[in-house]
């Protein structure tokens, strides 16, 4: 029997560490707000991070030539039930993890690359909840995409509602010829012949370095890919629309505004109105700055955001690059990256923006945070919001010349929900044996979004308030967000066993 506890979000702050300055490291996480661990002797990079519905934190990356997957308890301690002492290490070949996502059933999907001989080939792997390879996935838990004559890798991975798996990355031939590469697999690891050309779509925008980094699954099954087009000297952000079958979406047209200039996009986020955000870097003539661009649903830059849809941010160092972002339930945007100082030291950099693109002065120092853990070099690669609003970030830190894995947790100041549903709240939620039913007392015109604790959108649609069943299929914390012309209502649902 599932039990539903309803709580109105954004009502009151709980009396705990969340009252500290937003942007501060969370002292309840491993005693200081961060965890480091060493696997290899040279290079340990935490490239992707995800939060399970039970609050455990999964990190994927690589150490030297080995793929590393690790899981931590919510307090930062290694999860001894996962792999060996909380880690899974696969080092028989040069195997690298770049992207990760969690399936609703708890299994872990990783995408990246593997070097075989003189070629680099794209890989997708699936692990069970305990860290063991999922043998139902291609027989051994791993798929290698063998395309002779090209060097291929995948940077992002998503799972469709029907279980099919989509990746985006790059395919390179003779330098500098690279194309954006998208693939789709069936849930058993077989290439999906109904997508692109036998499961593979190659997008050639220019004769030079076209690279794929970002991937969005739209509610109607179409995709948006993000990255860069052109050579390193004249590159710009690139955005590609694909139909659900991997063919070009003729209705999609989005181009980087002139204001962003020479640039690259590393991450994308879908907005409730159907528009999207892109983050990356923009060259200002001397160095790179953080760049955030917002697009309307039709692909035009949103003129109400920054300058013609563009916001750039300089941390005052030699160069700044944004690599990931999270969009909070209150529409504020946290952008995650690196800032290189005048002495070439590298620090983790965070910026938080209001919905209109202004820096949020309540976060860090006038909207900016620089984190220097060990006094040497730090990099951030990915970030994820927990169900309680805290931000976890994966990356690396350099200790005595040795690069170690790094996980940090920051306070965001997001209000933590309490069980105090308002009588004026139009949203009604009734528990069922499999999930919950949403409705409103009177017909409405609204936009409805339901997300799980990892930020994955389960439902996103126009809604008139008629009874709508949601059956997430697993226990955990879910966020229901309702927007009308009269206001916005957000409720958290915690589904668990009696």
């Amino acid at each position: 029997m599932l039990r539903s506890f309803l709580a109105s979000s954004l009502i009151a702050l709980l009396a705990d560490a969340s009252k500290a300055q937003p942007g501060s490291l969370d002292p309840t996480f491993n005693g200081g707000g961060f965890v480091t661990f060493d696997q290899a002797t040279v290079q340990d990079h935490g490239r992707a991070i995800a939060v399970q519905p039970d609050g455990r934190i999964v990190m994927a990356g690589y150490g030297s030539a080995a793929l590393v997957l690790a899981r931590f308890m919510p307090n930062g301690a290694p999860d001894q039930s996962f792999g060996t002492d909380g880690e899974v290490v696969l080092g028989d070949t040069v195997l690298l993890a770049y992207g990760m996502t969690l399936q609703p059933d708890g299994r872990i999907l990783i995408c990246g690359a593997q070097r075989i001989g003189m070629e680099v080939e794209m890989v997708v792997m699936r692990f069970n909840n305990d860290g063991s390879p999922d043998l139902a996935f291609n027989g051994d838990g791993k798929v290698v995409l063998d395309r002779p004559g090209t060097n291929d890798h995948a940077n992002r991975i998503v799972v469709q509602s029907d279980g099919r798996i989509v990746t985006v990355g790059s395919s390179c031939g003779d330098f500098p010829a690279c194309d954006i590469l998208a693939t789709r697999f069936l849930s058993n690891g077989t290439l999906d012949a109904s997508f692109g050309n036998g499961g593979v779509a190659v997008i050639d925008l220019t004769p030079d370095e076209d690279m794929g980094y970002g991937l969005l699954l739209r509610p109607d099954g179409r995709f948006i890919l993000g990255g860069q087009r052109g050579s390193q000297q004249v590159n710009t952000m690139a955005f590609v629309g694909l139909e659900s079958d991997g063919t070009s979406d003729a209705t999609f047209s989005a181009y980087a505004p002139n204001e962003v200039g020479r640039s690259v996009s590393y991450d994308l986020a879908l907005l409730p109105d159907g528009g999207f955000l892109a983050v990356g870097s923009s060259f200002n003539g001397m160095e790179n700055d953080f760049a955030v661009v917002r697009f309307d649903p039709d692909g035009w830059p949103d003129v109400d955001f920054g300058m013609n849809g563009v916001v750039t941010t300089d941390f005052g160092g030699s160069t700044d690059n944004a690599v990931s972002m999270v969009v909070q339930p209150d529409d504020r945007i946290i952008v995650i990256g690196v800032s290189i100082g005048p002495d070439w030291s590298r620090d983790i950099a965070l910026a938080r923006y209001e919905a209109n693109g202004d820096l949020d002065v309540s976060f860090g120092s006038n909207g900016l945070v620089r984190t220097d853990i060990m006094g040497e070099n730090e990099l951030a690669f990915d970030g994820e919001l927990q169900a309680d609003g805290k931000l976890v970030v994966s990356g690396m830190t350099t200790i005595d010349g040795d690069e170690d894995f790094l996980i940090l947790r920051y306070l965001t100041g997001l209000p933590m929900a309490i069980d105090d549903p308002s009588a004026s709240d139009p949203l009604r939620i009734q528990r069922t044996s499999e999930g919950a039913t949403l409705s409103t007392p009177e017909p409405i015109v609204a936009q409805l979004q339901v997300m799980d604790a990892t930020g994955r959108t389960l439902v996103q649609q126009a809604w008139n308030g008629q009874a709508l069943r949601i059956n997430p299929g697993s226990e955990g914390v879910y966020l229901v967000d309702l927007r009308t012309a009269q206001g916005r209502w957000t409720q958290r649902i915690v589904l668990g066993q009696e």
Side-chain angles (χ1 to χ4, degrees):
M1 184 72 167
L2 290 172
R3 182 176 57 193
S4 176
F5 299 96
L6 305 184
S8 293
S9 184
L10 311 179
I11 295 178
L13 289 171
L14 296 183
D16 63 2
S18 64
K19 287 188 176 180
Q21 171 71 28
S24 302
L25 287 170
D26 176 11
T28 69
F29 187 68
N30 197 42
F34 65 92
V35 172
T36 66
F37 66 102
D38 185 18
Q39 208 294 311
T41 58
V42 180
Q43 184 186 62
D44 291 328
H45 285 192
R47 293 295 299 260
I49 198 161
V51 182
Q52 296 183 173
D54 61 6
R56 300 186 204 198
I57 300 164
V58 185
M59 185 220 71
Y62 52 80
S64 290
L67 181 145
V68 178
L69 186 63
R71 190 166 71 190
F72 297 84
M73 303 301 290
N75 64 1
D79 179 1
Q80 300 297 328
S81 69
F82 187 81
T84 301
D85 298 327
E87 295 181 34
V88 173
V89 181
L90 301 176
D92 294 338
T93 60
V94 179
L95 189 60
L96 308 175
Y98 294 138
M100 174 176 57
T101 192
L102 303 181
Q103 293 191 173
D105 60 8
R107 287 181 289 182
I108 302 162
L109 279 163
I110 289 175
C111 68
Q114 176 173 305
R115 181 176 292 279
I116 300 177
M118 297 301 293
E119 288 190 354
V120 176
E121 298 178 343
M122 194 196 94
V123 297
V124 176
M125 304 183 69
R126 191 164 70 195
F127 297 85
N128 294 313
N129 192 43
D130 62 0
S132 61
D134 179 8
L135 302 184
F137 190 71
N138 201 41
D140 62 358
K142 180 170 72 173
V143 174
V144 178
L145 183 65
D146 184 5
R147 302 178 67 242
T150 62
N151 291 316
D152 304 331
H153 68 275
N155 290 312
R156 298 278 178 177
I157 185 167
V158 300
V159 181
Q160 298 182 183
S161 59
D162 60 7
R164 286 184 283 185
I165 301 156
V166 185
T167 73
V168 69
S170 302
S171 177
C172 298
D174 294 334
F175 183 82
C178 291
D179 301 324
I180 297 173
L181 175 69
T183 66
R184 187 163 72 190
F185 299 86
L186 302 178
S187 61
N188 64 2
T190 304
L191 277 169
D192 181 3
S194 69
F195 182 87
N197 183 9
V200 178
V202 179
I203 299 97
D204 183 7
L205 301 176
T206 72
D208 295 310
E209 297 166 77
D210 302 332
M211 311 291 284
Y213 297 112
L215 172 60
L216 286 181
L217 173 60
R218 304 172 85 176
D220 60 5
R222 293 179 297 161
F223 305 95
I224 300 175
L225 315 180
Q228 74 168 47
R229 57 189 295 154
S231 70
Q232 292 293 335
Q233 289 71 39
V234 295
N235 60 293
T236 59
M237 291 183 176
F239 306 103
V240 176
L242 295 182
E243 297 285 357
S244 59
D245 63 359
T247 58
S248 177
D249 178 3
T251 68
F252 179 83
S253 178
Y255 296 91
N258 292 333
E259 286 79 3
V260 78
R262 179 175 146 194
S263 56
V264 58
S265 169
Y266 289 111
D267 196 13
L268 303 175
L270 192 66
L271 297 173
D273 65 358
F276 68 97
L277 287 163
V279 299
S281 63
S282 172
F283 186 65
N284 64 18
M286 294 291 292
E287 61 200 24
N288 283 346
D289 295 331
F290 271 24
V292 187
V293 186
R294 192 168 74 188
F295 294 88
D296 288 330
D298 60 8
W300 286 98
D302 183 348
V303 296
D304 294 326
F305 185 83
M307 181 179 293
N308 195 30
V310 177
V311 171
T312 60
T313 301
D314 183 358
F315 282 75
S318 62
T319 196
D320 309 308
N321 290 312
V323 296
S324 182
M325 71 174 137
V326 296
V327 180
Q328 298 183 172
D330 61 4
D331 293 334
R332 287 181 289 183
I333 307 153
I334 301 179
V335 178
I336 303 151
V338 61
S339 180
I340 302 176
D343 60 353
W344 297 103
S345 63
R346 297 176 294 179
D347 294 333
I348 291 171
L350 307 179
R352 187 161 76 180
Y353 303 89
E354 303 285 358
N356 65 357
D358 292 341
L359 281 168
D360 175 8
V361 297
S362 71
F363 186 80
S365 175
N366 294 318
L368 305 181
V369 170
R370 289 184 67 150
T371 302
D372 179 1
I373 295 295
M374 300 294 180
E376 297 187 42
N377 288 317
E378 280 83 31
L379 292 175
F381 295 105
D382 196 18
E384 184 88 32
L385 273 185
Q386 296 185 166
D388 63 2
K390 295 177 182 178
L391 174 72
V392 288
V393 172
S394 65
M396 77 87 180
T397 184
T398 306
I399 303 174
D400 296 328
D402 183 18
E403 295 180 355
D404 293 344
F405 292 108
L406 175 65
I407 298 177
L408 311 98
R409 189 162 73 195
Y410 293 88
L411 304 173
T412 64
L414 273 174
M416 296 179 65
I418 61 174
D419 190 7
D420 183 23
S422 168
S424 62
D425 192 334
L427 187 60
R428 299 291 181 262
I429 304 178
Q430 180 181 9
R431 69 175 183 267
T432 69
S433 60
E434 296 179 324
T437 298
L438 312 182
S439 64
T440 59
E442 302 290 339
I444 61 172
V445 177
Q447 287 290 325
L448 177 70
Q449 185 176 22
V450 181
M451 295 172 285
D452 66 13
T454 71
R456 184 185 299 111
T457 296
L458 306 178
V459 176
Q460 187 169 25
Q461 64 181 62
W463 189 44
N464 61 8
Q466 291 186 348
L468 177 67
R469 292 183 180 180
I470 56 169
N471 300 320
S474 60
E475 302 171 13
V477 178
Y478 298 87
L479 184 72
V480 180
D481 184 63
L482 180 69
R483 304 187 188 200
T484 74
Q486 288 71 44
R488 179 181 181 184
W489 293 264
T490 306
Q491 289 189 352
R492 295 182 189 273
I493 311 173
V494 182
L495 301 176
Q497 293 290 340
E498 289 263 356

